[in-house]
Amino acid sequence: MVAFVSRVIATMRSMRRLADIDLLDDHALRQEMTWASMGILVGGTLAGVLAAVILPHERIDPLWFLALALGSVGALPVHELVHAAAFKLLTGFRAHVRFGFGGWMLYTSAEGTIMRRHRFCAVLLAPTVLVSVALFVVAGALGSPLLGWFLVVIHLAGCTGDLAYVRIVMREPMATHVEDTAYGIALFHDA
């Protein structure tokens, strides 16, 4: 453990801080996320309604809407657990992960964890991909692909924070490392 801490300190000394991104206090970024969420919801709903009209579809009744509500709410903690698992796996189980609720969002934090940018983006994207695929596959296996579609649309609309962070990280070519912070993320360049 001492060797690991020494390596982290040595790495930190050679890195230059490029930017601090605070998701909750950045009004423009939050507004961008809101518009992206609404676009996903509207576009996904229109595509789902069109599919329901054109293709054979399952019976839509009060139980269908209950399944949609329960699946959407149930996906939230699963999404955060996938973030936690990705943090643990991609740091060799060194990340100290905690969960919380703030700004009307559930979140997973590994505050102080510094990772190479592509690994950090993998942590951000893991639940977007894995939970979305699982929702669609499970609903489809239960004979409700349209329900699966709408579960995925709602889930993706809730992933806009993760997607915004990925966009920010990948747009900064100098960023080699990303730190998970108490307020969001920090981008670093390994000088």
Side-chain angles (χ1 to χ4, degrees):
M1 182 64 162
V2 173
F4 170 71
V5 172
S6 297
R7 271 196 325 263
V8 169
I9 291 170
T11 302
M12 289 288 295
R13 287 185 183 144
S14 71
M15 289 200 280
R16 182 175 53 121
R17 190 179 211 101
L18 298 172
D20 292 295
I21 313 300
D22 185 342
L23 184 68
L24 296 178
D25 284 342
D26 188 330
H27 177 71
L29 183 57
R30 279 196 345 261
Q31 190 172 25
E32 179 184 312
M33 288 169 38
T34 300
W35 282 107
S37 290
M38 288 193 306
I40 291 168
L41 284 173
V42 170
T45 299
L46 290 174
V49 168
L50 182 62
V53 169
I54 294 172
L55 302 171
H57 56 280
E58 66 252 26
R59 184 172 166 207
I60 299 175
D61 57 17
L63 285 178
W64 188 92
F65 284 103
L66 180 62
L68 180 65
L70 292 176
S72 296
V73 171
L76 296 173
V78 173
H79 179 106
E80 297 309 320
L81 287 170
V82 172
H83 274 310
F87 265 125
K88 288 291 194 179
L89 289 171
L90 293 174
T91 63
F93 294 88
R94 289 187 296 265
H96 176 71
V97 177
R98 68 181 186 86
F99 302 96
F101 180 78
W104 294 99
M105 296 181 295
L106 290 175
Y107 66 85
T108 301
S109 173
E111 189 177 332
T113 300
I114 299 174
M115 302 172 73
R116 290 195 132 320
R117 74 192 239 155
H118 289 92
R119 283 182 177 255
F120 197 86
C121 287
V123 168
L124 292 169
L125 292 173
T128 302
V129 173
L130 297 176
V131 174
S132 295
V133 168
L135 288 168
F136 191 75
V137 168
V138 168
L142 295 173
S144 297
L146 189 62
L147 175 63
W149 172 261
F150 280 101
L151 286 169
V152 169
V153 167
I154 292 168
H155 179 247
L156 289 177
C159 294
T160 56
D162 295 333
L163 298 173
Y165 275 151
V166 169
R167 183 182 54 78
I168 289 166
V169 170
M170 297 312 291
R171 275 191 172 171
E172 178 51 66
M174 295 291 291
T176 58
H177 291 78
V178 181
E179 177 184 12
D180 192 32
T181 65
Y183 53 83
I185 60 172
L187 306 180
F188 289 90
H189 175 68
D190 190 4

